[in-house]
């Protein structure tokens, strides 16, 4: 099985998910390099990291996020958020 080149490139140059800020939605999105989606998420009621950790890709699309790379980055970051949920709300 081969890995598509764009996925490999994204995984090497994507946002620093290991260094994400879990203090709040704003800081988390900024740390991912995707602050432009804060308003879209909040308009649909996704206003806390405790809620966002339950999002699926179709929820992201429903918020108006359609860029494939951004969807992939956010989906990965949400998975990492679940692993690191003990850090939510901490600086």
């Amino acid at each position: 099985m081969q890995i598509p080149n764009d996925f490999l490139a994204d995984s090497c140059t994507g946002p620093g998910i290991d260094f994400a800020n879990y203090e709040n939605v704003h800081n988390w999105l900024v740390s991912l390099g995707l602050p432009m989606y804060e308003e879209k998420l909040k308009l649909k009621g996704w206003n806390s990291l405790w809620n966002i950790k339950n999002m699926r890709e179709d929820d992201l699309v429903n918020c108006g996020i359609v860029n494939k790379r951004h969807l992939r980055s956010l989906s990965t970051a949400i998975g990492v958020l679940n692993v690191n949920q003990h850090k939510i709300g901490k600086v």
Side-chain angles (χ1 to χ4, degrees):
M1 182 173 154
Q2 294 180 345
I3 299 172
N5 289 340
D6 66 331
F7 180 78
L8 182 58
D10 286 349
S11 67
C12 295
T13 62
I17 292 171
D18 290 343
F19 303 103
N21 181 312
Y22 301 106
E23 186 177 359
N24 55 50
V25 174
H26 173 78
N27 290 345
W28 181 68
L29 288 169
V30 168
S31 70
L32 298 174
L34 299 169
M36 65 287 245
Y37 295 122
E38 181 177 6
E39 191 63 30
K40 288 183 181 222
L41 293 174
K42 288 185 175 184
L43 284 173
K44 293 291 187 171
W46 300 98
N47 52 14
S48 80
L49 292 176
W50 286 107
N51 291 337
I52 287 174
K53 73 180 185 66
N54 297 312
M55 289 185 90
R56 303 287 180 247
E57 188 170 324
D58 60 325
D59 297 316
L60 294 168
V61 171
N62 187 42
C63 289
I65 302 168
V66 295
N67 180 295
K68 298 275 187 210
R69 286 185 179 177
H70 294 177
L71 283 169
R72 188 177 309 139
S73 294
L74 283 166
S75 293
T76 300
I78 289 167
V80 174
L81 178 61
N82 277 288
V83 171
N84 291 312
Q85 62 184 309
H86 63 282
K87 296 180 181 181
I88 293 176
K90 298 180 182 175
V91 179

